[in-house]
Structures are given as structure tokens and as C-alpha cells.
Amino acid sequence: MITRSGWGLAVASVLVYAAGAPFGYTQSAVLAAAGLAAVGAGALWTLRGARLEVRREVTPMKVTRGEPAVAILHVRNTGRWRHSGLVARDTCRDTTVTVDVPALARHTARTVSYRLPTRRRGPTPVGPLLLDRADPFGLARRSLAYGRTDLLLVRPRTVPLTPLHSGRRRHLDGLASRSAPAGASSFNGLREYVIGDELRHVHWRSTARTGVLMVKELTDVNLPDTVTVLDTRPSSYEGDDEFELAVDVVASAACAVTRDRFPVRVLTGEGEIAHATGGPGEDEDVLDRLATVDRSATAEPPLHALRRVRGGGALVLVSGSFTALADAAAVRRRFDQVVFVRVGDAGEGPVPRAAGVTVVEVGDLADLAASWPH
């Protein structure tokens, strides 16, 4: 298509001819013809086919909010002619990233890289990739789409926290492992064999039926479950930043448990979004699920979700408003330890308190790490 510069030159050529022709100025006709010829030559230049191989890689495919993600673009000229003036345009959500591709001689390849925006959490489509080819004077441009749309997953941020020590019966060594002491183990499910598992835990009937080596997963019945609840009502937050911080707090509290391979449930006002039983790598699944959570006008108060879960263990309730503190106080007798985290700027006056509930007020993740109960 003709660019703005091309249209401007075409209009200027017509005006020059219209101004000089009535007075017999032949120079105006020559200038007008030269300008229109330049625009036509630019259009013909971009119509010439370009034989290119284009491939884009996005690394990493999963990234923490705010951390760098890079797209690597590989362009190879498989034709007989040299190509210059190539510009790659990639779309990442509502942001367009533009990068110049160096000139390509025949049968040569170039690699360029550019950063992708990761300031917003959630699934982020990257693409389609457009490769613009312009004439040397920038009067015409042709855009061609290459490749497929990739999906970059931007996950919440976390800070290291210690799991809340709760439970009716505590181990002398603390919450250091999921191995159950004698007489306290209970069958929790079946999973595929992983190198290092004890062979005495192999479930031979399931192995014979499925053809895959299966082992019994045992859990300590005395280990407490941790329940984390995220208030997703829009009225509980003043803006996007507060809600994003709330998601980061829930992710930090949940991953503090899953990374030590203890069970945790993550709930919102619309139901359960993650349930980790203490298996390896479940913190990655929790982060993936929290990457897609959002506020909802149909979300119920946290108390409705808490009434549907069994008591015991620890409860972490995160909200942007102190009105949800009453929900935590209403169920405090059902849990061994209850922590209410209010996100946002500190307000005027004393922080509300509730009997049996540890109240934490945070303005960022650094505040969370400093004020988290130990």
C-alpha cells in the first residue's frame, strides 16, 4: 500500500502541475511526472515477491509478572535478490513492538531479538507477526503475516514465605517433610512411579491394569491443610494494582506450602481454582491457575466459599477491604490459625482487629515478607 509519504508526494505533484500548467511552466509538468513516477516505482518495488523464511521463538513461555520475556526472530532470504528495508511488527496484547531487520543478501540469514511487555498478568497472545517491506524512499509498503500466534503466560509474583505452623498435633521437627511417622500414614491416591520412590509402595493391581508402574501416595493424617481464599469482588479493590497485589499475596502464601510439598487449596468467591495435594511440581500448577484469575461481579463473599470447606489447619484470607475481616472472624473456631491480609495503602486510624485472627496490612510484597507470621 502507499504510505503517508507516498500519498503526500502524489498530492504535491498534482498541485505543482495544477499551479504551473495554466501559465505554461513545463518544469511543473516534469516535477509532477517525476513525483508520480517515484510513487509508482515504489509500489512496483513492493509488489515484487520476497522469498523469505521467517521463524519466531518466545522464551520463556511462562514468566513472572514484570520479568523479561524475549522474542527471537529468525529471517532467511531464500531468493536471488537482496532485500532491505524490512521491519518486523509483533503484537503483544494491545502493544505493538517494532524492530528493524538488517539487510539480507541472497541466501543469508539474520537473527534479531526484542523484549515483550510483561507488566500485565494473564495469558498474553503474541502475534500475528507482520513483516513490512518498503521501497528505498519509504513511499510504499507491503505487509505479510508469518507464523502462528504464540501464547505467553504471565504469572503472579511471589516472595519466599514460611508455611504457617498449625495442626492439632505438631511434629517435633516442624513441617520439614511429608513423610508420615509410624501409625499416622493414610492412603491419599495413586500416581506414576518416579525415580527414588520406594518399591514397597508400588500398587501392583493398578500397574497390571494400566501397564504403567503406579505407586501409592501416602500422606500424614496429622499434617494440616492450608486454605487460601482470594476475595474477587470488584467492590473490595480501588484499582487494578491492589487486585494484582492480592493475587501476588495468595500466590506467595500458596507456594510457601506447595514448595514444601504440603496440601493447599486456593479458593475464590466463585469456587475452587486449585487443589494441591503435596505432590512434586504442584507450585507450578498453582501459579498457572492464578495467572488467569480475575475479578467478577458475580463473586460471592469469602464466607460462602469457607462454609463449603472442612476446618482444621491454616486459613489465609486476602482482600482489599477490611469488610472481609468479619468473614475470617466468623470461621476462626474452625481453623487452628487464621491470617487476614488486607492489601493497599495504609488508611488513617487504627487497624481493625478480630479475636483469634492475625491481621496483616501490606502495601507491597516487601511488606508481606516482613510482616508474615513466623
Side-chain angles (χ1 to χ4, degrees):
M1 65 179 179
I2 307 300
T3 63
R4 290 185 176 182
S5 299
W7 283 115
L9 179 58
V11 171
S13 299
V14 172
L15 292 177
V16 167
Y17 177 77
F23 301 100
Y25 292 119
T26 57
Q27 294 87 348
S28 61
V30 173
L31 291 175
L36 294 175
V39 175
L44 292 175
W45 177 279
T46 56
L47 285 177
R48 181 166 58 94
R51 298 177 59 185
L52 300 172
E53 292 181 356
V54 181
R55 180 170 55 90
R56 179 195 55 209
E57 302 174 11
V58 176
T59 181
M61 296 300 296
K62 297 179 181 180
V63 64
T64 301
R65 181 168 63 92
E67 291 187 352
V70 179
I72 303 174
L73 185 63
H74 306 275
V75 184
R76 181 177 181 82
N77 180 12
T78 59
R80 298 180 299 172
W81 307 99
R82 181 179 183 272
H83 294 296
S84 60
L86 298 175
V87 177
R89 288 186 294 131
D90 219 349
T91 303
C92 190
R93 269 191 179 166
D94 53 356
T95 303
T96 300
V97 182
T98 303
V99 59
D100 294 328
V101 179
L104 290 167
R106 55 180 298 184
H107 303 303
T108 60
R110 295 285 188 179
T111 300
V112 294
S113 61
Y114 46 94
R115 292 188 59 171
L116 300 173
T118 59
R119 61 183 180 274
R120 293 178 56 187
R121 177 183 51 84
T124 304
V126 181
L129 175 69
L130 298 178
L131 200 61
D132 295 340
R133 181 165 174 263
D135 68 289
F137 300 103
L139 302 178
R141 183 179 67 243
R142 184 183 185 185
S143 298
L144 296 175
Y146 289 91
R148 67 184 187 280
T149 299
D150 294 313
L151 188 63
L152 171 66
L153 186 63
V154 181
R155 305 194 294 187
R157 299 180 300 159
T158 61
V159 291
L161 301 175
T162 56
L164 297 174
H165 282 221
S166 61
R168 305 291 181 184
R169 176 178 168 187
R170 294 173 173 80
H171 295 279
L172 296 179
D173 294 333
L175 297 179
S177 69
R178 292 188 72 249
S179 58
S185 61
S186 175
F187 177 74
N188 188 52
L190 295 173
R191 59 175 174 82
E192 292 187 14
Y193 174 83
V194 178
I195 296 176
D197 288 335
E198 296 187 27
L199 292 178
R200 62 190 179 93
H201 292 158
V202 174
H203 195 268
W204 296 109
R205 289 184 180 179
S206 299
T207 300
R209 184 174 62 253
T210 61
V212 179
L213 196 60
M214 305 293 292
V215 296
K216 294 179 289 185
E217 188 175 47
L218 303 178
T219 187
D220 188 345
V221 296
N222 293 319
L223 288 177
D225 288 335
T226 299
V227 178
T228 59
V229 182
L230 173 64
D231 187 358
T232 55
R233 295 173 297 177
S235 59
S236 299
Y237 302 93
E238 294 184 358
D240 295 339
D241 292 340
E242 281 193 1
F243 181 72
E244 290 301 322
L245 178 58
V247 177
D248 294 343
V249 171
V250 170
S252 300
C255 288
V257 180
T258 56
R259 285 168 182 163
D260 281 352
R261 299 185 63 181
F262 292 104
V264 64
R265 299 181 66 183
V266 182
L267 307 174
T268 68
E270 295 184 303
E272 183 178 276
I273 62 173
H275 185 190
T277 59
E282 288 186 320
D283 55 325
E284 296 293 319
D285 181 63
V286 170
L287 290 175
D288 289 347
R289 294 179 181 271
L290 284 173
T292 61
V293 71
D294 202 354
R295 286 165 291 184
S296 174
T298 61
E300 297 178 340
L303 183 60
H304 290 215
L306 290 171
R307 285 173 176 169
R308 295 191 288 267
V309 299
R310 65 183 180 89
L315 167 65
V316 180
L317 175 57
V318 183
S319 177
S321 172
F322 278 115
T323 58
L325 178 58
D327 294 357
V331 297
R332 69 183 185 276
R333 297 185 182 276
R334 295 177 51 204
F335 295 89
D336 304 320
Q337 186 173 6
V338 179
V339 177
F340 175 79
V341 182
R342 186 260 179 183
V343 299
D345 296 333
E348 298 181 357
V351 176
R353 300 294 178 183
V357 179
T358 302
V359 179
V360 178
E361 191 173 18
V362 300
D364 52 37
L365 286 181
D367 292 343
L368 177 67
S371 57
W372 184 252
H374 296 281

